[in-house]
Amino acid sequence: MQYSGKFRPRLRPLIGMAIAGGILFASTASAWTYSDLSPSQKIAYDQQQAVMDKTFARYGMQAPKIPLSVYLGVDTRGDNSDITQVQVLNRGGNDDAFRTVTYGQVFKKGDYLPSKALFYSTPSNPSNQGVQSDIKTYWDDGSVQHAVLTFQLDDVPANGSRNLKLFTHGENTKPAYDGSLKIRDLLATSFNASVTIKSQDGQQFTQDARQILQSIADRGGCDQVPDKECKTWLSGNLASEWIIGGRLPGAAGTREEQMGVYFHVRAYASYSGQINSARVDTVLENNFTYGKTTSNLNYSTAIDVGDQQFDSGTIKHYNHARWHKVLWWGTDPDLYVQQDTEYLQSTGAIPEYEDIKPTASFLSKLPASYPIMNHGEQTPNMGETGAQAAIGPLPRWTSLYALDGDPRAFDYMMANDNAVGSYGFHYRDAATGLPVSIEDHPYITLAAYSFARHASNEHYKKDLITGCSSDCSSPYVFNISHHPSIGYVPYLVTGDYYYLEELQFAASYDELWSNPHYRSEAKGYLRGAEGQVRGQAWALRTIAQAAFASPEGSPMKAYFTQMMRNNIDDYTKYYMDHEDKHPLHLLDDYGAVIYPIHGETRVGIAPWQQDFFMWSVANAANLGFKGYDKFAQWLLEFQVGRMTSWKTNQGNGFCWIDAAVYSLMVRPYRNGPEYQTLDEAYEASKPQLKGLVCNSQDYRNRLDKHYAPGEMTGYAYSTTGFPSNLQPALAASVDQHVKGADTAWQVFDSRPIKPRNYDTEPQFDIVPRR
């Protein structure tokens, strides 16, 4: 049988390699199909395959199919040769080779198609190195949105680093057999992990991870037991992780009804494929919603994982709080993956920030950890008035990380997201093992707990939260109108299940707290439930983040996504379907119009709270939630008008100098008709400025003689002042292509007086997307 010289040299090495090494051409897989071959190529292919079949049969083997890339070349359709780069830092003194690392990666829409194989390369090793990709969410075009990535590195020197480039290449083919690490593989090692809790009254309780895993293996594995007993979080030949645990077992009493102990066990394979280490994140909770009792708990804890041990000392575990500790069985590789945070911003998962960096000296002074049950840099009582580091689209610690993925910024962010676990917003449903859902418990409430407790309605009785049995006092008070983004970015960049649940607990609390009647029971309407506009703003942000980040197919993904749908339906019907009643394009219901102005009660709104809300709506649109784009575009005319009206109505228009005014009169008297234009509202609020040219000396004199030319009112120098509060919404107006937004941003961005230290407090330093 004769073959053209073009094909003969390629066939022989393929046959030899396959026979000698058992290679099944996995490295040359492509998305080509037989129909892509030309007629002459099909003839040649059929002839060569016949030879392969005959050759392999001599050895009693079945021949693999010849890769179509032999004829068509490497299939680069849909490939992305340069997605993003990361830097892997060895933070310890260990020089061991072949270490494995896991982290979370958000991808821009279209960058990573799930049909493509993901690889990394390094400058010293430019060849393709495989990446285990546990995909969690997808964009609406089917491309990967977020995945937890695991890969092995052959060498990262002690206290050194390696630069990696991520790219896709070729078809992602499913292996012929499941080579993922299993629970039984971990049990075949000497792995051990346990928690021992000694209560103040002398009782002792133990939770043993190995025993739990053995019980699960005896019942057929993690997939054969309920999710609340075992959830497979990662699955692959490099790493597998299982979430196990539940109520704390022990002697008869009440603590087993209150406490939960969970192990997030991540097993890693060595270069040879055998499990040689495991990362164990041990989580202790005092947060079951329905049980015999609930209170603070006083105890000491010993956590043992392999040769590592952690002793907590005596702690007071506050009601509905949680904490965790990571230890290793085997060697901790002590690797940190420093991401390109500009790429993270470009994905749309987080805001776009000004291109500034904190200084090294500043980063070196940031705290990297806090004691158990400590508030970190959160305000102990979140409901206190005034500026807080936690308030903003992202809190200070997270926005600093967004500017610079430096490990010190990362540690600072993680320390504060760990600390917020001390606050009492964690409500777990023992029946599902998940944060409480108002779809399952439509009459659950904290805001109206006293009413629910005495209500004759059977629905309220059924969903009544277990009341406090003894000491439930805490120095930390969670407040929806001031709460930070919790767990969101830490989860996205680490892939750690603990932080995903922190985010889900916060979003769950934002719904379950309110009066069931005001939220329309299971609908979860924020407009009625949250009296303050800022409460609606930050609750909507958190729920949107939970819906965005929760894995595809999970109950929490479906739940929070439905909450997002319900709320845009409610806002649309109330506002946009009745535009004539809301001519100023702002939230103007009873909870929004609260301020007294010129002796009239409840005639003024807080523009800065509206700015929070309007950014949050635009953020939901940016995350891909349908309907929010139109609502955002409608609302953001309010911000644009405050910055540009003076241009067309000199002397009577809304002057940009006062765009960040603390309160604005929107109707002449309580329950009166709303003013038809922003200029009317501004004139009613500041009649003394009528007829004065915006930013003129006369204008500034009438405002306050201390204002410099171009200085906006509302603390222009402050990173948390009212002009700063306005900035994210103005940036969003540009992103949402609102008419006049480019001009509004140009006026704002060219103002001569700006905050001096956004590089250390960047939470509001958000700019239009580049």
Side-chain angles (χ1 to χ4, degrees):
M1 202 171 284
Q2 300 296 313
Y3 307 103
S4 70
K6 177 180 179 181
F7 298 123
R8 185 190 304 271
R10 293 184 179 180
L11 178 61
R12 288 175 179 169
L14 287 173
I15 295 175
M17 288 168 60
I19 294 175
I23 296 174
L24 302 184
F25 307 114
S27 63
T28 56
S30 74
W32 297 119
T33 64
Y34 185 78
S35 61
D36 292 317
L37 298 171
S38 68
S40 60
Q41 288 173 328
K42 288 179 180 177
I43 293 172
Y45 178 89
D46 292 341
Q47 291 175 340
Q48 290 188 347
Q49 188 64 55
V51 172
M52 287 284 284
D53 292 342
K54 185 176 180 180
T55 302
F56 273 76
R58 293 176 185 170
Y59 296 90
M61 301 168 62
Q62 183 176 358
K65 295 296 183 183
I66 298 173
L68 296 172
S69 57
V70 171
Y71 307 89
L72 298 171
V74 175
D75 177 19
T76 60
R77 299 172 300 174
D79 279 0
N80 189 337
S81 61
D82 189 8
I83 297 176
T84 185
Q85 299 189 33
V86 299
Q87 187 177 49
V88 181
L89 283 69
N90 183 347
R91 305 185 72 179
N94 191 339
D95 263 326
D96 290 348
F98 304 119
R99 279 179 289 179
T100 310
V101 66
T102 298
Y103 80 105
Q105 179 70 59
V106 184
F107 296 90
K108 283 195 292 189
K109 183 185 291 188
D111 267 4
Y112 172 21
L113 303 179
S115 61
K116 291 292 181 177
L118 188 66
F119 296 94
Y120 79 87
S121 65
T122 65
S124 61
N125 187 1
S127 61
N128 298 1
Q129 307 295 313
V131 176
Q132 177 182 315
S133 177
D134 288 88
I135 298 172
K136 296 302 179 183
T137 59
Y138 299 90
W139 292 106
D140 57 9
D141 66 349
S143 61
V144 177
Q145 184 183 81
H146 181 236
V148 184
L149 307 182
T150 302
F151 47 82
Q152 287 180 330
L153 290 166
D154 53 6
D155 177 33
V156 183
N159 301 306
S161 64
R162 284 286 180 266
N163 293 321
L164 275 65
K165 181 178 78 170
L166 285 175
F167 60 96
T168 57
H169 178 74
E171 186 181 12
N172 182 24
T173 56
K174 188 175 181 179
Y177 70 98
D178 180 9
S180 61
L181 305 178
K182 304 295 184 184
I183 289 177
R184 63 175 178 270
D185 299 325
L186 182 60
L187 291 172
T189 71
S190 61
F191 168 79
N192 67 288
S194 64
V195 173
T196 300
I197 295 175
K198 295 180 180 179
S199 67
Q200 199 172 44
D201 59 9
Q203 296 189 73
Q204 182 168 303
F205 308 91
T206 300
Q207 192 89 298
D208 189 293
R210 187 178 182 91
Q211 291 179 5
I212 296 172
L213 289 169
Q214 185 64 63
S215 173
I216 292 167
D218 292 344
R219 288 181 284 164
C222 197
D223 295 341
Q224 302 302 311
V225 301
D227 267 5
K228 67 177 182 179
E229 295 184 38
C230 183
K231 181 193 303 291
T232 299
W233 182 240
L234 305 179
S235 180
N237 63 337
L238 298 181
S240 288
E241 181 171 351
W242 307 278
I243 313 300
I244 61 173
R247 285 192 188 273
L248 180 67
T254 58
R255 279 181 176 75
E256 65 268 28
E257 294 297 326
Q258 286 186 237
M259 283 202 72
V261 176
Y262 299 86
F263 300 98
H264 303 172
V265 181
R266 183 183 301 167
Y268 282 110
S270 66
Y271 190 70
S272 66
Q274 305 299 310
I275 294 177
N276 68 339
S277 64
R279 174 187 185 273
V280 181
D281 191 356
T282 304
V283 185
L284 290 92
E285 300 183 349
N286 179 16
N287 64 353
F288 284 114
T289 309
Y290 301 107
K292 292 181 180 179
T293 185
T294 181
S295 67
N296 296 334
L297 298 172
N298 296 285
Y299 61 84
S300 62
T301 300
I303 304 175
D304 292 277
V305 178
D307 294 331
Q308 296 188 0
Q309 185 178 70
F310 173 78
D311 291 307
S312 68
T314 301
I315 62 173
K316 187 173 188 176
H317 191 152
Y318 299 118
N319 194 30
H320 291 286
R322 69 201 293 248
W323 63 277
H324 72 132
K325 182 67 179 178
V326 174
L327 297 174
W328 284 77
W329 172 78
T331 302
D332 176 0
D334 205 9
L335 299 178
Y336 167 63
V337 179
Q338 182 170 331
Q339 298 194 35
D340 179 353
T341 54
E342 288 189 7
Y343 178 81
L344 178 61
Q345 292 176 41
S346 74
T347 66
I350 67 172
E352 185 92 11
Y353 289 87
E354 185 182 357
D355 190 14
I356 55 177
K357 300 284 186 183
T359 65
S361 61
F362 169 76
L363 290 172
S364 67
K365 298 173 185 176
L366 294 174
S369 64
Y370 299 102
I372 299 170
M373 293 293 126
N374 184 280
H375 62 88
E377 291 200 10
Q378 336 268 340
T379 304
N381 181 350
M382 290 184 184
E384 289 183 3
T385 58
Q388 299 179 26
I391 296 175
L394 297 176
R396 182 191 186 210
W397 39 90
T398 308
S399 54
L400 278 168
Y401 171 81
L403 296 184
D404 190 342
D406 184 284
R408 293 164 295 186
F410 174 80
D411 290 346
Y412 177 57
M413 173 178 70
M414 303 305 283
N416 278 283
D417 270 84
N418 289 335
V420 79
S422 307
Y423 289 74
F425 63 91
H426 309 84
Y427 285 78
R428 191 182 292 280
D429 189 342
T432 63
L434 300 170
V436 170
S437 156
I438 61 170
E439 291 182 334
D440 294 335
H441 302 279
Y443 289 87
I444 190 173
T445 180
L446 290 172
Y449 180 78
S450 181
F451 168 81
R453 188 174 168 216
H454 297 97
S456 58
N457 187 317
E458 289 299 321
H459 296 299
Y460 280 100
K461 291 181 179 180
K462 176 179 175 292
D463 288 341
L464 187 67
I465 291 173
T466 302
C468 181
S469 59
S470 55
D471 174 24
C472 290
S473 62
S474 171
Y476 310 135
V477 180
F478 191 85
N479 181 271
I480 293 174
S481 293
H482 299 82
H483 80 288
S485 170
I486 295 171
Y488 177 61
V489 174
Y491 165 65
L492 291 180
V493 301
T494 66
D496 289 354
Y497 189 72
Y498 176 85
Y499 299 105
L500 172 63
E501 283 209 309
E502 280 293 277
L503 169 60
Q504 292 173 340
F505 276 123
S508 166
Y509 184 92
D510 286 341
E511 289 288 9
L512 70 83
W513 175 86
S514 59
N515 186 309
H517 176 70
Y518 295 156
R519 69 169 182 251
S520 295
E521 289 83 33
K523 294 290 186 181
Y525 294 154
L526 297 174
R527 183 179 60 84
E530 292 298 327
Q532 297 187 63
V533 172
R534 56 186 167 185
Q536 295 179 56
W538 303 136
L540 182 66
R541 173 212 53 202
T542 298
I543 295 168
Q545 290 175 343
F548 177 86
S550 294
E552 305 289 351
S554 67
M556 291 284 95
K557 180 80 165 186
Y559 171 57
F560 292 124
T561 300
Q562 188 60 53
M563 293 298 103
M564 293 298 293
R565 291 194 192 105
N566 292 349
N567 275 284
I568 193 57
D569 288 347
D570 180 57
Y571 284 123
T572 299
K573 290 175 183 176
Y574 187 84
Y575 287 104
M576 295 181 66
D577 290 354
H578 301 281
E579 289 188 84
D580 57 314
K581 296 181 180 180
H582 314 285
L584 298 181
H585 292 227
L586 47 77
L587 299 196
D588 55 11
D589 57 7
Y590 185 81
V593 185
I594 57 175
Y595 289 110
I597 298 178
H598 302 322
E600 297 290 341
T601 61
R602 300 193 77 93
V603 294
I605 57 105
W608 49 280
Q609 291 195 32
Q610 302 277 339
D611 296 337
F612 294 163
F613 180 77
M614 293 171 187
W615 172 84
S616 189
V617 173
N619 179 64
N622 202 52
L623 294 180
F625 296 103
K626 293 181 179 179
Y628 284 88
D629 53 348
K630 293 180 180 179
F631 190 38
Q633 291 157 12
W634 185 82
L635 288 167
L636 289 165
E637 291 183 21
F638 177 58
Q639 279 74 21
V640 172
R642 284 152 57 198
M643 291 299 298
T644 61
S645 174
W646 62 278
K647 282 182 169 287
T648 56
N649 193 7
Q650 276 283 359
N652 293 303
F654 206 125
C655 179
W656 69 272
I657 291 291
D658 217 14
V661 62
Y662 180 79
S663 61
L664 181 69
M665 193 172 185
V666 296
R667 53 177 56 118
Y669 51 87
R670 182 170 181 166
N671 298 324
E674 193 167 299
Y675 294 122
Q676 292 298 300
T677 68
L678 271 177
D679 293 347
E680 289 180 36
Y682 188 55
E683 181 180 328
S685 301
K686 301 286 184 75
Q688 73 275 22
L689 301 175
K690 183 177 180 180
L692 300 179
V693 176
C694 179
N695 197 28
S696 65
Q697 186 63 54
D698 288 342
Y699 178 90
R700 293 195 303 275
N701 288 344
R702 197 68 62 87
L703 268 178
D704 188 320
K705 293 181 180 180
H706 297 293
Y707 282 102
E711 180 180 355
M712 294 184 72
T713 62
Y715 311 103
Y717 289 98
S718 173
T719 58
T720 57
F722 297 122
S724 296
N725 295 165
L726 169 62
Q727 183 170 332
L730 270 182
S733 73
V734 178
D735 296 339
Q736 291 296 321
H737 308 292
V738 177
K739 184 179 179 180
D742 289 335
T743 300
W745 179 261
Q746 183 181 24
V747 172
F748 182 79
D749 193 43
S750 61
R751 69 198 189 281
I753 297 176
K754 300 179 181 180
R756 297 189 179 97
N757 52 342
Y758 261 152
D759 59 336
T760 60
E761 297 178 340
Q763 50 265 46
F764 289 103
D765 194 16
I766 292 170
V767 298
R769 296 195 174 277
R770 299 179 181 89

